[in-house]
């Protein structure tokens, strides 16, 4: 499917089921949520390991992130909404950048160095944020969810979720490693356009990049709000 359609499927389509979970959260069964969360994080992490298409990688990433969103629905529904909002902002940033640079395969990212280094760096930064690597914004929901699980006497579940997150972080790091260290750009002509033509999309990307990578210092404020 086109990248724009994939962006809608992985962001907008999650709002309705998450809103439904938020409304029925008091009557949810914790054991079922735990089972669904573990299956989602493990399946999403395991399925994305051998993918070469960015759309497939992001699809499995979406499955893994929904595991983190679901597990906290009963304990702290507000944190579930926060997790979804950060995921949507980060995914929008990545999809807009990929769509603007017409990048659909992991191999194509290495060739993007010659076209636009800033775009390549945004892709890498957003991938690390999706993986939950501190000190980026994506680490915030995972940190808060693990903290809530421990406070509510679920340390075993917190450990399982943290370990399953390493699977997703691994294939994000693999994309960056393959694109930047093992695939040197084949075209050495540096007289390429380093920046794209300014459009509404390009104007949104810097703001979304800031949101998806630099909000971790706001964590104490969000803890008070939740």
């Amino acid at each position: 499917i086109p990248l724009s359609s994939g962006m809608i499927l992985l962001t907008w389509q999650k709002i309705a089921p998450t809103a439904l979970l938020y409304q029925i959260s008091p009557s949810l069964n914790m054991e079922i949520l735990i089972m669904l969360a573990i299956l989602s994080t493990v399946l999403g992490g395991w399925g994305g390991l051998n993918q070469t298409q960015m759309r497939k990688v992001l699809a499995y990433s979406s499955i893994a992130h929904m595991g983190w969103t679901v597990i906290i629905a009963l304990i702290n529904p507000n944190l579930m909404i926060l997790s979804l909002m950060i995921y949507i902002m980060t995914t929008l940033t990545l999809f807009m950048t990929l769509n603007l640079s017409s990048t659909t395969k992991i191999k194509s990212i290495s060739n993007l160095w010659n076209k636009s280094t800033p775009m390549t760096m945004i892709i890498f930064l957003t991938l690390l944020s999706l993986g939950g690597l501190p000190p980026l914004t994506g680490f915030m929901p995972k940190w808060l969810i693990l903290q809530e699980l421990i406070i509510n006497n679920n340390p075993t579940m917190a450990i399982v979720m943290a370990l399953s997150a390493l699977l997703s972080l691994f294939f994000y790091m693999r994309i960056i490693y393959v694109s930047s260290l093992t695939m040197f750009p084949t075209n050495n002509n540096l007289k390429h356009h380093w920046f794209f033509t300014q459009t509404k999309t390009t104007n949104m990307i810097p703001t979304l990049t800031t949101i998806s990578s630099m909000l971790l210092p706001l964590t104490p404020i969000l803890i008070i709000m939740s």
Side-chain angles (χ1 to χ4, degrees), residues 3 20 22 40 46 72 95 116 119 122 126 137-138 141 146 150 157 167 179-180 182 186 193 215-216 218-219:
L3 287 171
L20 181 61
Y22 184 86
S40 294
W46 191 265
I72 203 64
F95 264 102
S116 177
M119 285 292 179
I122 290 175
T126 310
T137 304
L146 293 177
I150 294 173
M157 190 60 205
L167 289 172
S179 301
S180 60
T182 64
T186 56
H193 296 290
L215 292 187
L216 190 62
L218 299 180
T219 303

Side-chain angles (χ1 to χ4, degrees), residues 178-205:
V178 169
S179 301
S180 60
L181 297 181
T182 64
M183 290 184 180
F184 192 79
T186 56
N187 191 342
N188 293 324
N189 182 11
L190 299 179
K191 296 181 180 180
H192 285 271
H193 296 290
W194 284 75
F195 297 97
F196 291 90
T197 304
Q198 188 174 10
T199 62
K200 291 182 178 179
T201 302
T202 56
N203 291 335
M204 291 177 60
I205 288 178

Side-chain angles (χ1 to χ4, degrees), residues 92-211:
L92 282 176
T93 306
L94 187 55
F95 264 102
M96 286 183 177
T97 309
L98 293 176
N99 191 35
L100 193 62
S101 58
S102 301
T103 302
T104 57
K105 296 182 179 180
I106 296 176
K107 185 178 180 180
S108 302
I109 300 178
S110 62
N111 298 324
L112 189 60
W113 284 106
N114 285 336
K115 191 175 183 181
S116 177
T117 300
M119 285 292 179
T120 310
M121 297 306 298
I122 290 175
I123 291 175
F124 289 170
L125 193 65
T126 310
L127 285 174
L128 291 177
S129 184
L130 272 177
L133 190 71
L136 302 175
T137 304
F139 177 65
M140 183 197 301
K142 291 181 171 60
W143 176 18
L144 296 178
I145 290 172
L146 293 177
Q147 180 179 332
E148 287 291 329
L149 290 174
I150 294 173
I151 291 175
N152 288 272
N153 299 319
N154 285 313
T156 304
M157 190 60 205
I159 293 173
V160 173
M161 293 295 291
L163 292 176
S164 64
L166 295 178
L167 289 172
S168 299
L169 184 59
F170 173 78
F171 64 72
Y172 291 133
M173 294 295 293
R174 184 176 65 89
I175 292 174
I176 297 174
Y177 174 79
V178 169
S179 301
S180 60
L181 297 181
T182 64
M183 290 184 180
F184 192 79
T186 56
N187 191 342
N188 293 324
N189 182 11
L190 299 179
K191 296 181 180 180
H192 285 271
H193 296 290
W194 284 75
F195 297 97
F196 291 90
T197 304
Q198 188 174 10
T199 62
K200 291 182 178 179
T201 302
T202 56
N203 291 335
M204 291 177 60
I205 288 178
T207 303
L208 290 174
T209 303
T210 303
I211 294 174

Side-chain angles (χ1 to χ4, degrees), residues 26-104:
S27 60
L28 294 175
N29 186 289
M30 189 63 184
E31 282 133 11
I32 294 178
L33 288 179
I34 289 176
M35 181 184 68
L36 291 175
I38 293 177
L39 287 175
S40 294
T41 52
V42 173
L43 177 63
W46 191 265
L49 291 177
N50 294 321
Q51 302 300 329
T52 58
Q53 294 279 346
M54 287 300 299
R55 284 168 291 199
K56 293 182 180 180
V57 168
L58 294 175
Y60 281 110
S61 170
S62 173
I63 296 173
H65 276 87
M66 283 309 295
W68 286 89
T69 303
V70 166
I71 196 171
I72 203 64
L74 182 60
I75 299 174
N76 191 337
N78 293 331
L79 191 53
M80 176 183 68
I81 300 298
L82 174 64
S83 177
L84 179 67
M85 290 175 58
I86 292 177
Y87 167 76
I88 288 177
M89 290 295 103
T90 310
T91 304
L92 282 176
T93 306
L94 187 55
F95 264 102
M96 286 183 177
T97 309
L98 293 176
N99 191 35
L100 193 62
S101 58
S102 301
T103 302
T104 57

